[in-house]
Amino acid sequence: GLLPISYPIGSACGGEGSFARWDTRSGELQLVCDDTPARYKPLPLTRGLPPDDMAGISLAERYQNLTWTNYVKPVVITDSEVVVAECGHSQQHLYRVRPTRSKTTAAASPKSPNAVVLLLDAVSRRQLFRRMPQTVNVLERLAASGGRQSVYQFFKYHSVGVNTQPNTHPLYTGAPQLEVRPAAWFMERSGEIKRGKAPIEPKKKVFRLPYEPIWHQLNETKYVTGYTGNSCSEWSSYFHDLHYPADHEMVLPFCDPEYYISDRPFGMFTGPFSQHRRCLGGLHIHSHMFRWMQKFWEAYHDQPKFVVGEFMEGHEGTGEVIKTVDSDVAEFITKLYPPDRASNTVLMLMSDHGLHMSPYYFYTRSGQLENKLPLLIILAPNWYVDRHPAEFANVSANEQALFSSYAIHFTLRQLFTWEDERLRPLPKEYQLGQFASSLSLFDVLPTDRTCKDIGVPDKICTCSSNAAIRS
C-alpha cells in the first residue's frame, strides 16, 4: 500500500431500501411502506441553471432548500431524473431518464459507436493495478480473449499539471487553462470561505472560455451526451462561471448533506476528498452514478451516446478509498463487452493525474512520478477497429509514445468527426498547434517528442533535469 499501515476506511454502507418504484414510461411513483410514514423529494433538473448555481456551496444550498412531500398515494413525476424516497429510516434513490429530443442520423453514416469516458481522478496506472484487481482481471481477460474487442494501455501518457484544472482543460476543450484564479476564489466557490464571513481576493477578470467542452461541441450531431460527477459541481461552471450542459447531467444528488457538508467541502472524513468510505442512502456514492448511467443508456438504446463520469474516490491521501469502486467498474466494463455479442462502445478508462495528496507523493520520487503518469486504457470493438485499421494500428504503436491530454481530446474529436461531420469546429481564435501538438492517438506520434511538444511545462516533465522533486 501507500501507507506503512493498513488504513481503516470505515464499515460498509448500510444498504438501500427497496420499497419504491418509479415507472419509466408513465413517471408514476409508488411507495409501499405499510403503516410506516413515507415521503419523497424530486430533485430538479440542473441543465438550465445559471453557472453561479452549479458549483460547490451554491448547488449545496439549492439542495438544502428542497422540501420533502409526505406520500399519500401514487403520484406522477415527469420533470425530474432523480427522486429520493424515505420509508421510516430507510432511503432509496430512484432514477428515470426520458429522451428530451431526437437527434437525426447522418444519411450516409454506418453504425456509430458509443463513447464513454470514466475519469478516476488522481489514479495512476500503477494505482489501478495496486488497488483495483477486479477491474484489472476483467481488462486482462478481455485483452486475452482476442475476439470481439481490442484493449490498449498507455505507458507514457503525461500529466500537464499537478492537479485537475490544468489537465482537464486540454482533455475537454483542446486548450490550456489560460487563467489561474486566486486560491481564495475557489475556496469561496466551494464553500471553504463562507460568503460575507471573511475577506477574499478580488476576482480577476472572468475568462470566457472560447473552447466549449467536448460534450457541448456535440450539440448539433447525432450523439446524445451525458455528464455525471460526484463532487457537487459541474466542470465548466466550477472553473469558469459558465454552464455548458450535456443533454443530461446528474450532479445534484452529490450535494446531499449526508455526503457533502458545505461548511467543510475539503474535509478529510466527509465529502469528495474523504479518507473514509463514501456512502449516500445506503449505497456507495459511485453506485448512484452507475445506476444513472444505466438509465441514460436504456433511454437512448438506439442512438449513439457519449457520456462522461468523473469519480473522486481516488482523490484522497491514503490511496485506499479507490478500492470501493473496483467491483462496480469491473461490472460496468463486463456489461459493455459481453462475451456473447459484439460491443458498440469505445471506452476510455483514465485519469487526469496521479495521486497528489499523500506522504507517498510528497516524500518519494516514485510517488511524484506516478502523479505525472496517470491512467489511460482504451477499449474498442473489433468491428470498429477493422473499419479504421491504419488508425488503430497507430493507437497500438502509440502505447509507448509520449503524449498528454491534448492528444486524448483530439482522439475524441477524430472519432466523432468520422461519425458526424456536424461536430462543432474549434473557434477561429484557436490555431492548431498553438498550445501543443494537435496530433491524436490515431496519428503516428513521433518518437523524438519532447514535453514542450505535448504542452507539459519543463518544471514537471519527467524527462527534464529541471523537474521539481521534493525531498
Side-chain angles (χ1 to χ4, degrees):
L2 302 184
L3 298 176
I5 60 172
S6 178
Y7 185 85
I9 61 174
S11 58
C13 300
E16 186 183 48
S18 58
F19 54 88
R21 179 179 178 274
W22 193 14
D23 187 79
T24 300
R25 288 183 176 273
S26 68
E28 183 178 79
L29 175 70
Q30 297 182 11
L31 278 60
V32 181
C33 294
D34 298 325
D35 296 328
T36 305
R39 58 182 186 170
Y40 62 93
K41 178 167 56 178
L43 304 191
L45 298 173
T46 57
R47 193 174 186 276
L49 291 180
D52 281 347
D53 290 346
M54 280 299 298
I57 189 172
S58 297
L59 199 56
E61 288 174 347
R62 177 174 285 272
Y63 187 99
Q64 292 164 13
N65 289 332
L66 298 175
T67 58
W68 292 93
T69 300
N70 292 327
Y71 180 80
V72 178
K73 61 181 181 179
V75 58
V76 174
I77 301 173
T78 58
D79 56 352
S80 176
E81 293 191 355
V82 186
V83 170
V84 186
E86 282 190 356
C87 180
H89 297 293
S90 183
Q91 191 175 93
Q92 186 176 351
H93 286 68
L94 301 108
Y95 301 96
R96 176 180 180 269
V97 177
R98 296 293 293 169
T100 55
R101 58 193 177 102
S102 177
K103 294 196 170 186
T104 58
T105 302
S109 176
K111 181 172 69 171
S112 297
N114 307 306
V116 177
V117 172
L118 297 186
L119 192 148
L120 309 178
D121 198 299
V123 174
S124 66
R125 176 183 171 276
R126 183 69 192 93
Q127 180 71 337
L128 175 83
F129 281 81
R130 185 189 291 123
R131 283 291 176 261
M132 299 181 66
Q134 294 180 59
T135 300
V136 171
N137 287 340
V138 168
L139 293 170
E140 290 180 340
R141 174 178 57 79
L142 292 174
S145 66
R148 300 181 183 277
Q149 64 283 314
S150 296
V151 183
Y152 309 91
Q153 62 174 321
F154 300 88
F155 299 87
K156 297 179 182 178
Y157 163 39
H158 201 301
S159 61
V160 177
V162 171
N163 54 20
T164 295
Q165 194 175 5
N167 290 295
T168 52
H169 272 267
L171 171 64
Y172 291 145
T173 73
Q177 168 197 347
L178 295 181
E179 178 186 89
V180 179
R181 294 191 183 277
W185 184 86
F186 285 105
M187 293 172 73
E188 181 196 38
R189 189 118 176 107
S190 59
E192 188 72 2
I193 297 177
K194 290 185 177 180
R195 291 183 178 135
K197 300 293 185 181
I200 182 170
E201 299 175 50
K203 288 185 182 180
K204 294 181 180 180
K205 181 180 179 181
V206 173
F207 169 54
R208 297 297 175 187
L209 185 70
Y211 316 110
E212 303 164 341
I214 186 70
W215 54 85
H216 206 258
Q217 296 170 16
L218 288 164
N219 267 0
E220 296 168 9
T221 72
K222 61 187 175 183
Y223 275 85
V224 183
T225 58
Y227 172 92
T228 181
N230 58 19
S231 62
C232 187
S233 62
E234 186 273 335
W235 183 82
S236 59
S237 303
Y238 184 72
F239 287 122
H240 288 298
D241 286 339
L242 296 168
H243 187 193
Y244 285 125
D247 292 320
H248 297 267
E249 61 184 18
M250 200 273 284
V251 295
L252 191 55
F254 308 115
C255 302
D256 190 311
E258 179 188 348
Y259 166 67
Y260 185 94
I261 300 177
S262 57
D263 287 345
R264 299 192 301 276
F266 300 112
M268 293 178 61
F269 306 111
T270 58
F273 311 107
S274 172
Q275 295 178 1
H276 286 176
R277 190 182 302 272
R278 303 170 189 182
C279 303
L280 177 64
L283 294 177
H284 282 114
I285 202 80
H286 63 268
S287 298
H288 295 280
M289 298 174 64
F290 283 121
R291 286 189 173 191
W292 178 84
M293 282 192 278
Q294 179 64 33
K295 292 295 184 181
F296 174 76
W297 221 251
E298 293 170 357
Y300 293 100
H301 61 91
D302 58 349
Q303 288 184 260
K305 298 165 286 295
F306 174 55
V307 64
V308 174
E310 295 182 337
F311 299 78
M312 294 295 291
E313 283 81 352
H315 202 292
E316 51 88 26
T318 71
E320 298 291 318
V321 178
I322 192 64
K323 294 189 299 185
T324 66
V325 185
D326 185 22
S327 62
D328 283 331
V329 172
E331 181 181 0
F332 181 80
I333 296 174
T334 299
K335 289 180 178 179
L336 279 184
Y337 299 92
D340 58 342
R341 56 185 172 83
S343 175
N344 192 34
T345 300
V346 175
L347 170 67
M348 290 185 175
L349 180 65
M350 63 171 297
S351 186
D352 47 354
H353 56 83
L355 191 65
H356 63 343
M357 293 180 66
S358 75
Y360 177 63
Y361 164 70
F362 283 106
Y363 300 114
T364 72
R365 288 177 178 267
S366 57
Q368 289 167 56
L369 284 174
E370 282 196 35
N371 171 261
K372 300 170 186 178
L373 298 172
L375 166 70
L376 177 62
I377 294 175
I378 296 177
L379 290 85
N382 279 344
W383 66 263
Y384 196 63
V385 174
D386 293 341
R387 185 186 293 177
H388 303 283
E391 289 81 0
F392 275 97
N394 290 338
V395 173
S396 180
N398 289 334
E399 287 182 310
Q400 292 286 352
L402 181 67
F403 64 91
S404 67
S405 51
Y406 286 95
I408 302 174
H409 175 82
F410 288 108
T411 301
L412 287 169
R413 282 194 64 86
Q414 181 62 68
L415 185 153
F416 294 132
T417 301
W418 281 337
E419 303 309 315
D420 196 325
E421 293 182 354
R422 292 171 296 181
L423 177 68
R424 190 170 299 168
L426 292 170
K428 294 180 180 179
E429 300 92 335
Y430 188 89
Q431 301 295 320
L432 294 182
Q434 176 182 354
F435 307 117
S437 167
S438 59
L439 294 176
S440 82
L441 295 176
F442 293 123
D443 297 311
V444 176
L445 299 183
T447 58
D448 60 349
R449 307 183 99 193
T450 66
C451 282
K452 182 178 180 181
D453 295 328
I454 64 172
V456 174
D458 188 57
K459 65 181 180 180
I460 70 164
C461 178
T462 58
C463 309
S464 172
S465 60
N466 296 325
I469 297 291
R470 299 174 186 268
S471 60

